[in-house]
Amino acid sequence: MTAPLLPTSLVGSYAQPDWLIDRARLADRFPPRVRAKELWRPAPEFLEQAQDDATVLAIRAQERAGLDIVTDGEIRRESYSNHFATALGGVDVDNPGTALDRSGHPNPVPRITGPIERSVPIQLDDLHFLRSATDHTIKMTVPGPFTMSQQAQDDHYGDPGAAAMAYAAAVNAEVRDLFAAGADVVQIDEPYMQARPDAARAYGLEALNAALDGITGTTAVHICFGYAAIIHERPEGYSFLPELAGSPVKQISIETAQSGLDLGVLSDLTDKTIILGVLDLSDPAVESPGVVASRARRAFDVIPPEKLVLAPDCGLKYLPRESAYGKMRSLADAAKRLRAEIRSGGEGVPTPA
């Protein structure tokens, strides 16, 4: 599918309805790494049907807002990573272990008790549902191997690098199946590369590259500072980002709105498409399209518009639904404004190559 200049997309998640999930309980804890079935409001026999209905609502909201690339909103997930990580073989989720979250607090996590295996596709049904529900370009998200290795207690490998590589094999198989089934973009979420840069350099980048080995579709990797609703302080810059220049990933998703990131850091990544976070998720107030457009223009001196995708800083999961929808509308309207400026050769706006 042909994308417009400055296409717009979610990073992954959309706000789940209150009738589907207990949003107060969800927001009052760290993101779950094991299953958290107590968060779902419908009875178990009605949960899948309710999740399907909520997923359609999320897709339609993105379409109405004017987004160009549509996700399933991660509506069926309690967190971005546990849906996939707890479906793998070799992990015990009924008798979880403990690991420190990126905030430094202990959190129950899957316990690795044997070889990590992906015996069947995990998100293929979700991809088929998304593809059947929209004619837009579609994106699916998968947790990254390094991040999953940091969100587990290893009682089997005894080597964090070996565990990360085992997760990489599972992710690679999943990504291959998602592309074969019709995904246009697959995004791998690796926020722990920012949180734990030394380990990311030691073995995380190797694991990410292994997860991408042989993949020919459009891949993205998302690296962020954490959900704004949970991690309130933002560093001045990324601790792990230029290292991705040599990775085979085609797109890199970063956040810039809340942090006011110095975009000079992108000068090391000029061969990549940048998914630029331009929606501040620390504030439920909806930014005007003009504010969003001004955040995007900051990147034009480093990355040409034809190599930019405009997006929120991170997932919209913790925002009120009306706020999440309003921010998507502002994102789409900002992109339209910028496209018009570029076509007219507006002052300070580069002409596409």
Side-chain angles (χ1 to χ4, degrees):
M1 299 182 183
T2 302
L5 185 67
L6 297 171
T8 53
S9 173
L10 295 185
V11 171
S13 65
Y14 187 61
Q16 294 154 303
D18 293 272
W19 51 259
L20 179 67
I21 203 164
D22 189 333
R23 288 175 54 84
R25 293 181 71 183
L26 178 70
D28 195 38
R29 54 168 295 167
F30 293 104
R33 308 308 180 198
V34 293
R35 294 308 306 273
K37 296 180 181 180
E38 69 278 5
L39 294 176
W40 299 107
R41 293 191 187 275
E45 63 268 29
F46 302 126
L47 180 58
E48 182 178 358
Q49 184 181 112
Q51 290 172 334
D52 284 350
D53 290 347
T55 299
V56 171
L57 291 178
I59 293 167
R60 295 292 173 264
Q62 293 171 73
E63 292 174 337
R64 289 198 314 273
L67 297 192
D68 303 296
I69 303 166
V70 172
T71 78
D72 69 350
E74 300 179 4
I75 295 298
R76 297 179 181 85
R77 306 186 196 184
E78 295 145 6
S79 82
Y80 71 95
S81 61
N82 76 331
H83 178 73
F84 186 89
T86 58
L88 296 171
V91 298
D92 187 342
V93 296
D94 296 319
N95 302 285
T98 302
L100 296 181
D101 234 321
R102 66 184 298 165
S103 60
H105 292 81
N107 207 7
V109 295
R111 190 165 56 90
I112 304 174
T113 57
I116 293 167
E117 297 176 341
R118 173 192 170 274
S119 56
V120 295
I122 296 169
Q123 297 177 190
L124 210 53
D125 287 345
D126 299 346
L127 183 281
H128 288 149
F129 189 92
L130 173 60
R131 180 71 287 168
S132 69
T134 184
D135 59 2
H136 282 53
T137 300
I138 58 174
K139 177 170 75 171
M140 290 295 292
T141 59
V142 182
F146 177 71
T147 291
M148 283 191 287
S149 75
Q150 303 300 295
Q151 296 175 353
Q153 178 178 307
D154 177 20
D155 291 348
H156 174 72
Y157 291 99
D159 173 8
M165 291 300 286
Y167 278 116
V171 172
N172 183 270
E174 184 78 3
V175 173
R176 287 174 181 268
D177 281 348
L178 290 173
F179 277 124
D184 296 303
V185 183
V186 176
Q187 175 183 299
I188 296 176
D189 292 327
E190 284 285 18
Y192 274 65
M193 284 187 160
Q194 159 62 27
R196 296 174 184 170
D198 292 339
R201 294 184 189 98
Y203 58 88
L205 186 59
E206 181 184 5
L208 175 62
N209 291 345
L212 295 166
D213 184 49
I215 303 297
T216 57
T218 300
T219 53
V221 62
H222 173 63
I223 298 187
C224 68
F225 301 133
Y227 285 117
I230 297 170
I231 307 295
H232 303 293
E233 298 297 325
R234 261 31 188 179
E236 293 182 357
Y238 275 87
S239 59
F240 187 96
L241 194 60
E243 291 86 349
L244 292 172
S247 170
V249 71
K250 295 179 173 63
Q251 301 182 349
I252 299 173
S253 170
I254 64 168
E255 63 169 279
T256 73
Q258 184 184 352
S259 63
L261 186 74
D262 180 355
L263 298 186
V265 68
L266 299 180
S267 61
D268 295 316
L269 302 170
T270 53
D271 65 330
K272 307 293 186 184
T273 292
I274 301 298
I275 304 175
L276 194 72
V278 290
L279 291 178
D280 182 350
L281 308 186
S282 67
D283 186 352
V286 175
E287 303 98 319
S288 70
V291 167
V292 178
S294 68
R295 292 172 181 161
R297 285 191 203 96
R298 295 175 57 231
F300 290 175
D301 290 338
V302 187
I303 301 291
E306 59 267 28
K307 297 190 72 174
L308 288 173
V309 176
L310 303 186
D313 272 358
C314 194
L316 302 183
K317 187 179 187 73
Y318 291 97
L319 287 175
R321 288 175 75 194
E322 62 273 16
S323 174
Y325 180 75
K327 284 176 179 281
M328 289 195 306
R329 283 290 302 268
S330 283
L331 180 69
D333 289 347
K336 292 177 183 177
R337 178 177 299 194
L338 290 168
R339 290 170 197 148
E341 290 177 5
I342 292 169
R343 285 195 299 268
S344 66
E347 183 178 356
V349 178
T351 302

